[in-house]
Amino acid sequence: MTNRSPWLGLAVLALPALLVSIDVFVLLLALPRIGADLHASSTEQLWILDVYGFLLSGSMITMGTLGDRIGRRRMLLIGAAAFGAASVAAAYSGGPVMLIAARAVLGIAGATLAPSALALISGLFPDPRRRGLAIGVWMVCFMSGAIIGPVVGGLLLQHFWWGSAFLLGVPPMILLLVLGPILLPEQRHPGAGRFDLPSVGLSLAAILPAVYGVKELARDGWRPVPLLALAAGLAFGAVFVRRQRTLADPLLDLRLFGDRGLSAALAAMSVGTMMTGAMMVFVTQHLQLVDGLSPRAAGLWILPAAVASALSFQVAPLLARRVRPGRLIAGGLLVSALGALCVPFVPAGAGPLPLVAAFVVSNLGMGPTVTLATGIVLGAAPPERAGAAGALNEVSGEFGYALGIALLGSLGTAVYRAVVDLPPGLPAAASGARDTVTAAADAAAVLPPATAEAVLHAARAAATTGLHVVAVVCAAALAALAVAAGRLLRHLPPLGGEASLGGEPSLGGEAPAADEDGGRNTTAAKAR
């Protein structure tokens, strides 16, 4: 492999991340047209959106571990082929059921991409300093999908039919299938034992109901069915953990969590994503429902925050060469907390600029947590478990985001209902205005102008108060997380520091990666 080959391999891995991210955002814009053309009910439209995330989250641990056993490059290429084929099937779906099935396959195939890509990046870049930069580049490509997704989606849907949103992901998958075998080395664990199918079933039985329960709680509040689903997921999760402790070759090696750096990094990733993800949802809703922006205009106002994240992803690994990762992560979380703490000072009717500015600051501080925590997780895992570690990293972010929306969404709704001060004498048809600002907007449409204006003013003021309370909670949680991360990760040296080449496994104790024929990566051995 030439000196340039690792970076060419990273380019092959990064392009699908960019296009898959764009595909997600384009689908959000295409959903109204899909619903109209396929005559999909509201429930079917929800499944078109959600089934992908359900199966993506549920399958990641299985696919990451399977990649460790059969080869990460092979797993990546199988997933790319399945993703491309399912994208074509989705584009030409003749009805909602076919589209839901295609989206389900897309979720399973998508679960192979991130864990395999992160594991391959870990092998391509055994030096912690270069690996940190590579992870930052990969993250920037994924984040760039959020930046250009609304623009690309608008152009596609303006000139083509809704199926073009799915075909967008096909060319990069073809490119990956052609260049992957040339530029990506095969990596696998040659001594892997038996693949435990009951553990796969238990992991799905634990994750799928839990994800469903959390998403439904975020959408509809505290109802019995989502709570039962969440409880069932936790029960199956307990059985899964008990089984892993008894197996010689577990699907998920629980000993990974014995590494203090890995556990702290996963916690930081999960809680950080929980807070900032929920803030993003509240900010975008505020821009539309309080400031009155269209969805596309709100998406454009969010772009500076996405750019700030991308910049932070690239700068953090460079700073980590001189500053300890624990200090950087803690400092970044404090910056995010400061950004969240600025939100309560933005009054209703102030316009989008001050709110977006606070959100930009909050996003700017998350770069060290995302990139350095990912590097810590990958560096802490032994090479034969790199795929499983990559899966854990991704699942922690997925769960954090969903849980944050559920918990903080419920908090925001409760605050709204407690403080909304609607004018007296509203008809029964407008009673929903006491529940959410969206319902208040719907109610105002059928009220006399003066009453409608009073209802909207009260609803927007209450929604702003809810945003302020959520922002304060986020700021407090991020500040507490900063203190915890600084303490738990203080033992880690700067990237490439002396200690990272010796005893500490969490960042730079880089065990040589197993290659396809059971040998050891010589570059990694020299780095050690």
Side-chain angles (χ1 to χ4, degrees):
M1 183 179 291
T2 67
N3 288 334
R4 293 182 59 194
S5 292
W7 296 102
L8 291 174
L10 177 63
V12 173
L13 294 172
L15 184 60
L18 170 65
L19 271 297
V20 169
S21 178
I22 292 176
D23 184 70
V24 171
F25 285 91
V26 172
L27 178 63
L28 294 175
L29 295 175
L31 189 61
R33 192 178 298 180
I34 291 173
D37 290 353
L38 297 184
H39 306 290
S41 66
S42 59
T43 301
E44 287 170 334
Q45 290 184 50
L46 287 176
W47 275 106
I48 289 170
L49 274 179
D50 288 344
V51 70
Y52 176 86
F54 287 159
L55 290 173
L56 180 77
S57 301
S59 305
M60 269 193 183
I61 291 176
T62 296
M63 295 304 175
T65 303
L66 187 60
D68 289 335
R69 294 167 185 267
I70 71 172
R72 292 148 196 161
R73 184 182 69 184
R74 181 180 300 172
M75 190 80 259
L76 183 71
L77 297 179
I78 291 172
F83 196 95
S87 296
V88 174
Y92 293 98
S93 294
V97 174
M98 180 178 176
L99 182 54
I100 291 170
R103 289 276 292 165
V105 177
L106 282 170
I108 296 172
T112 69
L113 300 179
S116 298
L118 288 173
L120 286 167
I121 288 173
S122 182
L124 285 169
F125 299 93
D127 179 5
R129 293 171 297 181
R130 301 178 76 201
R131 183 173 62 221
L133 280 176
I135 292 171
V137 170
W138 190 82
M139 292 289 185
V140 165
C141 287
F142 192 85
M143 180 61 68
S144 297
I147 298 175
I148 65 178
V151 178
V152 172
L155 291 175
L156 282 175
L157 296 175
Q158 182 177 351
H159 297 288
F160 303 101
W161 93 116
W162 56 263
S164 60
F166 295 102
L167 294 180
L168 192 64
V170 175
M173 297 305 165
I174 294 175
L175 190 65
L176 178 58
L177 290 171
V178 172
L179 297 180
I182 300 172
L183 295 175
L184 298 175
E186 184 58 284
Q187 301 170 7
R188 66 176 178 181
H189 178 32
R194 184 175 62 88
F195 190 67
D196 188 54
L197 289 178
S199 293
V200 174
L202 285 172
S203 71
L204 291 173
I207 295 174
L208 292 180
V211 172
Y212 168 81
V214 169
K215 283 181 175 286
E216 290 300 307
L217 289 174
R219 180 179 293 139
D220 298 324
W222 299 90
R223 298 178 181 270
V225 173
L227 288 173
L228 288 174
L230 185 57
L234 293 175
F236 279 112
V239 176
F240 173 80
V241 168
R242 184 178 301 175
R243 181 172 180 83
Q244 301 316 293
R245 289 174 173 169
T246 64
L247 294 175
D249 297 294
L251 181 71
L252 177 62
D253 191 349
L254 300 179
R255 291 174 297 179
L256 289 173
F257 296 100
D259 185 282
R260 185 176 68 180
L262 182 144
S263 297
L266 287 176
M269 177 78 75
S270 182
V271 178
T273 305
M274 183 188 303
M275 297 299 117
T276 55
M279 279 294 297
M280 182 183 72
V281 172
F282 272 88
V283 168
T284 54
Q285 288 183 346
H286 191 277
L287 292 175
Q288 296 176 67
L289 300 174
V290 176
D291 291 327
L293 301 180
S294 67
R296 184 172 299 179
L300 293 175
W301 270 101
I302 291 295
L303 293 188
V307 173
S309 294
L311 177 65
S312 184
F313 291 161
Q314 287 296 289
V315 172
L318 298 176
L319 293 176
R321 296 182 179 185
R322 296 183 176 273
V323 183
R324 288 179 177 269
R327 293 178 181 174
L328 267 181
I329 291 174
L333 289 170
L334 287 176
V335 170
S336 293
L338 178 62
L341 198 58
C342 291
V343 171
F345 296 97
V346 179
L353 182 58
L355 179 61
V356 170
F359 190 53
V360 166
V361 174
S362 187
N363 273 30
L364 192 64
M366 280 302 294
T369 299
V370 174
T371 52
L372 300 183
T374 299
I376 291 169
V377 171
L378 294 176
E384 64 271 16
R385 298 289 184 184
L392 282 174
N393 185 78
E394 293 300 301
V395 169
S396 68
E398 290 278 341
F399 267 107
Y401 179 74
L403 192 59
I405 294 174
L407 296 178
L408 295 176
S410 298
L411 174 63
T413 300
V415 172
Y416 174 91
R417 293 172 179 171
V419 304
V420 66
D421 185 18
L422 297 173
L426 291 179
S431 61
R434 300 186 182 279
D435 293 329
T436 65
V437 66
T438 304
D442 293 338
V446 298
L447 293 173
T451 306
E453 182 61 30
V455 167
L456 289 176
H457 178 77
R460 288 166 179 165
T464 301
T465 302
L467 171 65
H468 291 171
V469 172
V470 167
V472 170
V473 171
C474 288
L478 289 168
L481 182 62
V483 174
R487 289 176 59 86
L488 293 173
L489 299 174
R490 65 181 183 273
H491 64 288
L492 298 178
L495 296 184
E498 290 299 321
S500 73
L501 302 178
E504 278 295 341
S506 294
L507 253 184
E510 185 66 37
D515 61 23
E516 186 173 16
D517 58 7
R520 292 291 184 177
N521 185 295
T522 54
T523 304
K526 290 177 181 178
R528 188 167 186 174

